[in-house]
Amino acid sequence: MEKYTKHTSVAALMNRSNVDTDQIIAKQFLKKVERTGFGIHLFHDWRYLDDDGTIANPDFELNKPEFKGARILVTGDNFGCGSSREHAPWAIDDYGFNTIISTSFADIFYNNCFKNGILPIVVDADTLKKLMSEIDANEGVEFTVDLENQAVTTPAGTSVSFEIDGFRKHNLLNGLDDIGLTLKQADKIDTYESKHKEKFPWLWAS
Amino acid sequence: MAKTMYEKIWDAHFVHQEPGQAALLYIDRHLMHEVTSPQAFEGLNIAKRSIRNKHSILATLDHCVPTKLADRINLPDPIGAKQVATMINNCEQHGLTLYDMESKNNGVIHVVVPEHGFVHPGMTTVCGDSHTATHGAFGALAFGIGTSEVEHVMATQCLPQAKSKTMLVKVDGTLSKYSTAKDIALAIIGRIGTAGGNGFVIEYAGSAIDALTMEGRMTLCNMAIESGARAGLVAPDQKTYDFLEGKEFAPKGDAWDQALSYWKTLPSDDGAEYDLVIELNAADIAPQVTWGTSPEQVVPVNQTVPAPNDFEQEGKQIACKSALDYMDLDAGTKMTDIEIDFVFLGSCTNSRIEDFRAAAEVAKGTKVPANVTAIAVPGSYMVKEQAEQEGLDKIFTDAGWEWREPGCSMCLAMNGDQLKPGQRCASTSNRNFEGRQGKGGRTHLVSPAMAAAAAAAGRFVDIRELEQN
Ligand code: SF4
């Protein structure tokens, strides 16, 4: 997993609430054997006019040229509700977002974000409104996200501080996924394994 | 302090716990198939990690393989073909043992693993399939995991885990000759519900469990997940040791003696405490049939389809109503009046040799009606061969059944074998969820003998009456 570093990027606005994982990544795309490449299917039903995903829907927010290359997604309440599919954060990450700002996130989705190097930022309703209106007034505006200092700053001079669990912050900053965390205990696993081998030698015979 | 078997296995596999994090549990065996592993391999490759213990892995192709011989050479479904090709490639690249479609060892993962003695008592075992609990029949702690956990185990041989609560399900008494492990499993789920086991590991014990064969214990533990439990366990005994002895991956020579003396320490200590104890009398367990879209919606075959009012909880009333709609059944209908279109004898719940013998005994000399399709899908090539040696295939084909190649087939209907909308199936598999056997398909779960009786009559039959006539 990549380390999450301080960055200044285009903030895209998608002013919708209760965006569920079905809308994030529709179920016809779940049969793939890869975990990458889901980005082109992100928000498929909104984003494209045809089933094959060849004709972009000009009315869909994220298709605006101003939002091209955005790494920050600013969106409405309860983002990521619905089924627990791991493909939703895979799609978001693959599309290029590494930060989502909203008033609330569904539980499982919130957890899955951290496993994929995505920072979900929870702000209060007034703050969200303010950030949204700044994007509205100046599409293509860049926000700065500083995880170390837990702050989002905008060119208009807004500075928002946010809360995040210390352990999760540490993992994002250091690019540690769940596996990375377990691997930090590699010496303990080694010690355990050699004892286990001594006690149960037949487990290793084949 | 007296410990349960679960606690003993847990303690023997506890690696480490960081403050504020879950415990790390060491994993001895990792079973794989083509559907839930590809992204895990990809993740591993992207992160440039390697597999920690290749010996811990055994892989098969089962979920999307066709059960018609001709289709196995040229897979008709491009997605299935890609999953198969990806699995073969991943196993080659990482040097893993794979029972591919040409292998005489090929079959459903939870059928082939015991055939080769790959899982032993006291082991921790995982697989990206929820019916991994099957291996609890050997006194192994076995449970299903998601794709990211598959990757986690490959890279670290460990999983962060929270400790489960323990439930003892004690089944004493003697099972009637018409009832089977499947009926015990369904009766338990009918009693505690599909959420009854949430947060628990179940240990099955009692004289009726002792009396079960290893195949029966596998069927029982396989269904533990349908009661919401993380895993099911049966204490190892002489039957377990006899089953394992001489198998390919079983310990040999001195190692066998060493293993045996360890295995004998595994059963729960006298006086060990459980968080919950449930008791059933085996003599009360009649052949079961599910009527709804959840395994807990089950009744003895001589009863009728219930009405929403028969349930106290509002949630169960609503569930009953929607199940009746989906299943197109009226409350009060006798189970034995329900006509079927399809019969599926197979899945890792009921596709071992004993299951085919039981079904063949009932199928012998019968004829499947013209409007009914019945397919027999062995769990593995070993089962298929054994059945053919015993002439069981002939009994089925003479009775109008189709005799197929092994695979998961209509357990999850990913391989092209599936119901058409509205079709009704008597199935020996484990899940009767909406659409599980095909969009709009209706599934009734039963034992192999009950399935064979339904195939002959075109409707459900109380097999206890069948034999008396
Ligand atoms: S038969 Fe069904 S439950 Fe068993 S491994 Fe195959 S899909 Fe899973």
Side-chain angles (χ1 to χ4, degrees):
Chain A
M1 214 167 83
E2 253 175 69
K3 291 184 182 175
Y4 191 102
T5 46
K6 179 174 169 178
H7 63 104
T8 300
S9 324
V10 173
L13 173 60
M14 193 171 79
N15 192 358
R16 304 177 189 236
S17 295
N18 298 310
V19 173
D20 68 41
T21 51
D22 245 325
Q23 287 152 337
I24 296 173
I25 184 77
K27 77 165 170 293
Q28 65 264 35
F29 304 114
L30 303 184
K31 282 189 176 170
K32 287 169 67 111
V33 293
E34 300 89 14
R35 76 188 292 163
T36 43
F38 286 97
I40 52 165
H41 304 306
L42 182 73
F43 303 125
H44 179 276
D45 289 355
W46 295 333
R47 191 163 147 203
Y48 302 105
L49 291 173
D50 60 331
D51 285 350
D52 294 339
T54 52
I55 309 162
N57 175 3
D59 294 335
F60 179 54
E61 312 67 310
L62 297 189
N63 286 339
K64 290 183 183 173
E66 293 81 0
F67 292 153
K68 211 170 169 324
R71 303 218 69 191
I72 304 164
L73 178 66
V74 180
T75 187
D77 308 340
N78 196 28
F79 189 83
C81 52
S83 104
S84 63
R85 63 188 62 152
E86 286 179 57
H87 305 71
W90 292 349
I92 287 170
D93 169 55
D94 190 58
Y95 182 90
F97 290 122
N98 73 350
T99 309
I100 311 173
I101 303 177
S102 175
T103 53
S104 57
F105 295 89
D107 241 16
I108 298 175
F109 178 81
Y110 187 80
N111 289 329
N112 281 342
C113 280
F114 291 99
K115 292 183 184 177
N116 290 280
I118 300 164
L119 171 65
I121 297 177
V122 179
V123 296
D124 62 48
D126 288 342
T127 306
L128 185 71
K129 236 180 167 171
K130 190 151 191 269
L131 294 175
M132 283 182 166
S133 63
E134 285 184 26
I135 300 174
D136 247 344
N138 181 13
E139 285 179 351
V141 64
E142 295 187 340
F143 291 174
T144 301
V145 184
D146 181 354
L147 174 56
E148 186 75 60
N149 295 305
Q150 298 177 214
V152 179
T153 48
T154 74
T158 307
S159 178
V160 182
S161 64
F162 59 88
E163 292 299 315
I164 178 171
D165 172 72
F167 178 60
R168 289 186 149 141
K169 174 177 167 181
H170 172 85
N171 295 341
L172 275 184
L173 286 172
N174 292 288
L176 289 170
D177 56 6
D178 284 3
I179 297 177
L181 269 176
T182 299
L183 286 174
K184 273 177 75 181
Q185 309 301 330
D187 54 332
K188 309 240 171 36
I189 302 173
D190 289 343
T191 315
Y192 172 87
E193 202 168 61
S194 49
K195 272 199 240 149
H196 199 54
K197 260 186 195 169
E198 242 168 68
K199 239 172 121 186
F200 310 106
W202 65 89
L203 289 183
W204 274 266
S206 64
Chain B
M1 210 188 87
K3 284 198 216 169
T4 62
M5 184 161 45
Y6 170 69
E7 286 157 345
K8 291 182 193 186
I9 301 174
W10 174 278
D11 290 350
H13 292 84
F14 177 88
V15 174
H16 178 69
Q17 184 161 21
E18 283 285 295
Q21 294 180 43
L24 281 184
L25 203 65
Y26 191 81
I27 303 301
D28 295 315
R29 290 295 190 240
H30 190 179
L31 320 177
M32 271 187 201
H33 60 81
E34 72 279 20
V35 174
T36 50
S37 65
Q39 281 107 356
F41 279 104
E42 194 192 4
L44 202 70
N45 292 343
I46 291 171
K48 299 198 174 56
R49 287 173 179 143
S50 53
I51 298 181
R52 187 173 169 103
N53 181 2
K54 293 178 184 184
H55 286 294
S56 70
I57 299 174
L58 187 66
T60 188
L61 297 170
D62 56 5
H63 278 59
C64 58
V65 302
T67 55
K68 288 183 181 159
L69 201 51
D71 292 342
R72 286 167 92 92
I73 296 149
N74 257 322
L75 268 59
D77 171 29
I79 292 163
K82 186 150 186 214
Q83 286 174 327
V84 165
T86 307
M87 186 84 221
I88 293 172
N89 186 25
N90 283 331
C91 288
E92 265 171 20
Q93 203 186 325
H94 292 273
L96 305 177
T97 309
L98 169 71
Y99 295 159
D100 63 17
M101 277 186 283
E102 277 105 63
S103 163
K104 62 179 186 359
N105 294 338
N106 177 254
V108 179
I109 186 78
H110 306 311
V111 177
V112 301
V113 160
E115 282 175 342
H116 298 279
F118 192 62
V119 173
H120 312 161
M123 278 182 169
T124 47
T125 298
V126 296
C127 174
D129 179 278
S130 41
H131 294 85
T132 310
T134 310
H135 310 284
F138 292 84
L141 178 63
F143 51 90
I145 55 176
T147 297
S148 59
E149 291 171 309
V150 170
E151 184 182 340
H152 201 123
V153 176
M154 283 201 279
T156 70
Q157 213 57 43
C158 290
L159 266 186
Q161 284 291 299
K163 205 164 175 181
S164 301
K165 291 178 285 181
T166 53
M167 185 192 307
L168 176 69
V169 175
K170 205 159 176 288
V171 192
D172 281 312
T174 313
L175 209 55
S176 101
K177 73 176 238 211
Y178 308 101
S179 295
T180 65
K182 180 66 161 287
D183 302 298
I184 301 181
L186 287 170
I188 292 168
I189 298 163
R191 165 96 164 264
I192 70 175
T194 47
N198 280 356
F200 286 94
V201 164
I202 296 179
E203 181 178 337
Y204 301 98
S207 57
I209 308 299
D210 295 340
L212 290 176
T213 59
M214 287 313 293
E215 284 88 348
R217 293 177 191 177
M218 286 185 237
T219 301
L220 180 67
C221 289
N222 174 280
M223 298 284 288
I225 183 78
E226 302 311 330
S227 59
R230 183 133 189 80
L233 286 168
V234 175
D237 61 9
Q238 195 56 43
K239 282 181 194 170
T240 320
Y241 314 141
D242 290 346
F243 186 98
L244 284 171
E245 193 165 12
K247 294 234 159 38
E248 186 182 346
F249 294 102
K252 310 259 154 49
D254 286 350
W256 171 262
D257 298 331
Q258 206 181 339
L260 198 61
S261 58
Y262 171 62
W263 296 344
K264 288 183 174 166
T265 67
L266 289 169
S268 297
D269 298 327
D270 287 339
E273 281 181 29
Y274 296 84
D275 295 298
L276 190 64
V277 178
I278 305 274
E279 293 184 42
L280 277 85
N281 184 350
D284 297 342
I285 299 174
Q288 309 277 311
V289 186
T290 63
W291 52 266
T293 51
S294 155
E296 71 178 29
Q297 293 174 323
V298 64
V299 288
V301 62
N302 57 343
Q303 292 189 9
T304 56
V305 175
N309 287 340
D310 294 339
F311 298 90
E312 273 167 33
Q313 285 174 20
E314 200 194 336
K316 302 235 170 188
Q317 293 175 350
I318 296 167
C320 174
K321 202 180 158 302
S322 75
L324 293 182
D325 281 348
Y326 181 83
M327 295 297 287
D328 192 28
L329 289 173
D330 294 323
T333 306
K334 281 164 101 179
M335 291 310 292
T336 49
D337 284 344
I338 299 174
E339 295 185 353
I340 51 143
D341 309 292
F342 216 104
V343 179
F344 171 59
L345 172 56
S347 89
C348 62
T349 311
N350 279 128
S351 67
R352 298 182 180 84
I353 188 66
E354 177 179 296
D355 300 314
F356 286 89
R357 288 183 190 138
E361 201 179 309
V362 177
K364 194 167 193 165
T366 62
K367 204 87 218 161
V368 176
N371 58 339
V372 174
T373 308
I375 66 170
V377 185
S380 69
Y381 273 120
M382 278 178 72
V383 171
K384 182 168 185 263
E385 233 168 73
Q386 175 71 27
E388 287 170 359
Q389 266 169 30
E390 296 178 20
L392 306 183
D393 57 323
K394 273 289 280 168
I395 295 178
F396 286 111
T397 49
D398 285 352
W401 288 65
E402 292 175 32
W403 182 248
R404 298 281 187 92
E405 306 297 304
C408 295
S409 181
M410 275 180 55
C411 176
L412 88 168
M414 247 186 121
N415 73 331
D417 300 338
Q418 58 178 20
L419 297 178
K420 295 195 187 81
Q423 276 190 326
R424 188 181 297 284
C425 180
S427 177
T428 64
S429 55
N430 41 56
R431 285 187 169 157
N432 52 347
F433 299 164
E434 282 186 24
R436 172 86 174 176
Q437 294 192 299
K439 200 168 174 220
R442 302 176 176 130
T443 304
H444 296 266
L445 303 177
V446 288
S447 73
M450 286 284 289
R459 57 176 176 80
F460 291 105
V461 173
D462 189 339
I463 48 174
R464 295 170 300 184
E465 284 165 16
L466 196 72
E467 296 219 359
Q468 278 157 21
N469 288 336

